[in-house]
Amino acid sequence: MKCMGEKRKGGGNQIAIVTGASSGLGREFIRQIAARYPGLDEIWAVARRRERLEELKESYPNICPVCADLLTVSGRDLLRKKLETEQPGVRLLVLGAGCGHYGLLETQKEEALAEMIALNDEALTRVLARALPHIPEKSRILAIASSAAYLPQPGFAVYAATKAYVRHLCLALGQELKKRRVTVTAVCPGPVKTEFFERAGQTIAPWKQRFLNEPAPVVEKALKDADRGRAESVYGISMKAVRIGAKCLPWNPLIRIMGKFAEERRTKR
């Protein structure tokens, strides 16, 4: 899949779509996709911040900026209409738009809770459903989940639940698309050096900083795992240990331990 520029029957450009493209992992996916798949005709970079998209356009000539807020009906319709009008072959779909907010559920604003569910789950699912008719055989779908998807997380309960949804959706969809030979990969990183923690209103705990990763190796592994047909991509020994522990150990004591970490974060603020 190194070269994907060959036209499919019926015409249409061969493209990649990256949502959440203006920062963090999404921006890094843009950079690496441009280098890794030179045969693509276009990379549709989807995000709300127009100025960030224009910066990407200046750096990568085959970028097609799509300024759309996927939380809104109008934003999702803009992407749908573009797909219907241009009829591209979506060879690579990266679902990277998402958000997170820390805190006890009872202390968080209802709007923040709704935003996490709406963007991380509902918008992701709607974009995925609208893109699927345009995804040909042997294509790749990657969705950004999180290591938080493996266990319920006190103090981060709704975010972790939304990412568990993303992971489960990917695992089920991968089976559904098996006959089409479309690979679906849930990307489950641990903490990554992006704007996420700042936007989530949380300083990074000292113990968590030891596991903080740069975006580049996380994205590189995700693209390689997708090419290898893997259902999940987990970067780093520590996060692989988290996945194994969540599978092998009883959840109740693990959740209690995570609850103590959450309590420490609250008392130190």
Side-chain angles (χ1 to χ4, degrees), residues 240-255:
K240 290 178 181 178
V242 168
R243 180 174 62 171
I244 293 170
K247 287 181 178 180
C248 300
L249 299 175
W251 277 19
N252 284 344
L254 293 176
I255 293 171

Side-chain angles (χ1 to χ4, degrees), residues 28-254:
E28 182 61 27
F29 267 107
I30 292 284
R31 186 185 73 81
Q32 293 198 30
I33 289 170
R36 188 177 179 87
Y37 305 117
L40 286 169
D41 297 300
E42 290 182 328
I43 303 172
W44 293 9
V46 184
R48 290 179 297 177
R49 291 178 282 188
R50 187 179 298 277
E51 69 282 357
R52 293 279 188 96
L53 294 177
E54 292 302 327
E55 290 173 8
L56 282 172
K57 176 68 176 173
E58 291 176 5
S59 301
Y60 306 101
N62 67 335
I63 288 291
C64 175
V66 181
C67 188
D69 184 351
L70 298 179
L71 277 171
T72 65
V73 174
S74 60
R76 295 191 295 268
D77 279 350
L78 188 151
L79 180 59
R80 175 183 58 80
K81 290 174 183 177
K82 187 172 176 63
L83 284 167
E84 291 175 351
T85 300
E86 300 189 22
Q87 290 294 312
V90 182
R91 301 305 308 272
L92 193 62
L93 173 63
V94 179
L95 299 163
C99 65
H101 300 286
Y102 279 95
L104 295 177
L105 195 150
E106 66 178 343
T107 64
Q108 293 189 62
K109 293 182 179 179
E110 185 178 334
E111 292 79 7
L113 300 174
E115 182 186 37
M116 282 188 283
I117 297 167
L119 185 57
N120 297 357
D121 293 343
E122 182 183 358
L124 179 146
T125 306
R126 288 181 179 272
V127 170
L128 178 58
R130 291 172 182 183
L132 277 174
H134 305 275
I135 296 178
E137 289 189 353
K138 299 181 182 178
S139 297
R140 308 281 185 263
I141 299 170
L142 298 94
I144 307 303
S146 168
S147 59
Y150 293 117
L151 274 174
Q153 292 205 8
F156 212 14
V158 174
Y159 175 80
T162 65
K163 291 305 183 177
Y165 170 91
V166 173
R167 177 174 173 260
H168 287 183
L169 177 66
C170 287
L171 294 176
L173 183 63
Q175 186 62 36
E176 291 181 11
L177 298 179
K178 200 167 186 178
K179 289 183 179 179
R180 285 168 55 179
R181 292 180 288 179
V182 174
T183 295
V184 183
T185 304
V187 183
C188 300
V192 181
K193 291 181 182 178
T194 67
E195 299 171 9
F196 176 84
F197 291 100
E198 180 181 345
R199 296 206 307 256
Q202 176 67 33
T203 56
I204 305 173
W207 67 270
K208 189 172 284 190
Q209 289 179 4
R210 294 196 295 269
F211 304 105
L212 205 59
N213 294 304
E214 295 289 344
V218 173
V219 170
E220 181 180 6
K221 187 173 191 305
L223 290 172
K224 286 181 178 178
D225 285 341
D227 280 348
R228 292 165 181 161
R230 292 179 178 167
E232 296 182 77
S233 179
V234 181
Y235 177 80
I237 295 173
S238 57
M239 291 305 109
K240 290 178 181 178
V242 168
R243 180 174 62 171
I244 293 170
K247 287 181 178 180
C248 300
L249 299 175
W251 277 19
N252 284 344
L254 293 176

